[in-house]
Amino acid sequence: MATKPKKNARYDLKAADRRRNLMIQIGLTAIVVLVGVGLVLYIVMSGEKKPAAGEAKAVEISSSKLITKEGSTEPKAVVSLYEDFLCPHCRDFEQEFGPTISQLIDSGAIRADYYMVGILDSPSNGNYSSRVGGAAYCVADESKEAFRRFHAALYAQQPGETGTSFPDDARLIEVARQAGAAGGVPDCINKGKYVPMVEGLAQATGINSTPTVKINGQEFDAGAKSPEDLVNEIKNIVGDVPGLTAAPPAPEPTPPGAP
């Protein structure tokens, strides 16, 4: 019985090309997906990273008229302020010197670097110093102008150091909102992003009392000097800026519930 001759097997070149192209497309898609996932993880992890104890970040406040060193963007005069929002002496300093410092900033005579230090934390106040200091950094991330308003409002509403009631995070978020800061501020405050840094900032900067004031790194004894003295020291550095004089102290804040 005759048998049909076997057909020679043929290699389909087009099919092989299709398989190869499909594998290349799958590989490229996988790479794109992995890169996208990695980028998302990086953004999320970067956003969640909390500055640690030992870091020392300043809130830098200046105006567009800032007087800088010749041939540089560095300011001629930097006033560094180390404050604790629960410190009554810091509140007194803010009342007496705050208007003059604001005038120095707005005139371009100085850059003010604010370091919020948590040295008055205790279980009885719910670590208010570090919580409120951390909240101020959250506000500054959103808006420097809102930080200035938030800073003034916190001193105007300062609770007693030995009191029994201290603002919770919800209240700090509300004060921030009233100061003009929203966006990511509530989440930042609720997560305590800057609290560890504020807790360790006194040690990181070598500060053991508040308020501490420095001009270009040299301590300025605010307890023994006046706003006029501060203005004169700045003039010695930047020159006689037109109209630069000490401002009157801020009005005494009205206690809550007062008529």
Side-chain angles (χ1 to χ4, degrees):
M1 182 175 176
T3 59
K4 292 182 180 180
K6 293 183 178 180
K7 293 182 179 180
N8 292 328
R10 290 182 300 173
Y11 188 76
D12 190 339
L13 292 177
K14 290 184 178 180
D17 286 341
R18 288 195 295 271
R19 286 195 297 272
R20 184 170 62 252
N21 290 339
L22 179 61
M23 294 304 294
I24 290 172
Q25 289 174 356
I26 292 172
L28 289 174
T29 301
I31 291 171
V32 170
V33 170
L34 288 172
V35 169
V37 170
L39 181 60
V40 169
L41 286 173
Y42 173 79
I43 292 171
V44 170
M45 291 178 69
S46 298
E48 295 297 322
K49 182 180 180 295
K50 294 183 178 182
E55 295 186 45
K57 176 181 178 179
V59 177
E60 299 178 353
I61 306 295
S62 61
S63 79
S64 59
K65 299 184 287 186
L66 181 63
I67 299 171
T68 59
K69 298 175 183 177
E70 188 173 354
S72 169
T73 58
E74 287 296 306
K76 278 190 175 182
V78 176
V79 175
S80 301
L81 304 122
Y82 302 81
E83 304 176 347
D84 184 318
F85 280 116
L86 189 54
C87 162
H89 298 298
C90 295
R91 174 183 173 277
D92 294 343
F93 173 82
E94 172 65 15
Q95 184 182 359
E96 183 180 4
F97 282 84
T100 295
I101 290 172
S102 288
Q103 189 165 289
L104 289 168
I105 293 169
D106 294 338
S107 70
I110 69 168
R111 187 184 78 198
D113 287 2
Y114 289 89
Y115 294 88
M116 310 325 301
V117 183
I119 63 174
L120 293 176
D121 280 340
S122 73
S124 63
N125 64 34
N127 294 334
Y128 176 73
S129 290
S130 291
R131 287 194 299 107
V132 69
Y137 280 104
C138 290
V139 172
D141 282 349
E142 187 77 17
S143 165
K144 296 294 180 65
E145 287 305 312
F147 168 83
R148 296 177 73 174
R149 293 187 290 268
F150 186 71
H151 179 271
L154 288 173
Y155 281 122
Q157 304 171 27
Q158 186 186 70
E161 185 183 351
T162 58
T164 57
S165 178
F166 297 87
D168 59 12
D169 288 349
R171 175 57 187 165
L172 296 176
I173 290 169
E174 175 59 18
V175 176
R177 185 194 66 78
Q178 292 172 0
V185 171
D187 189 55
C188 181
I189 292 175
N190 283 326
K191 290 183 177 178
K193 178 177 179 180
Y194 287 102
V195 170
M197 183 187 77
V198 175
E199 289 174 339
L201 205 144
Q203 183 175 357
T205 56
I207 297 300
N208 52 33
S209 65
T210 54
T212 292
V213 182
K214 296 183 178 181
I215 302 174
N216 289 348
Q218 300 299 311
E219 193 157 342
F220 173 83
D221 187 358
K225 294 185 178 179
S226 67
E228 288 81 4
D229 294 324
L230 176 61
V231 169
N232 289 334
E233 292 208 24
I234 297 303
K235 283 183 177 180
N236 288 337
I237 298 170
V238 302
D240 191 3
V241 178
L244 187 56
T245 58
E252 183 74 22
T254 302

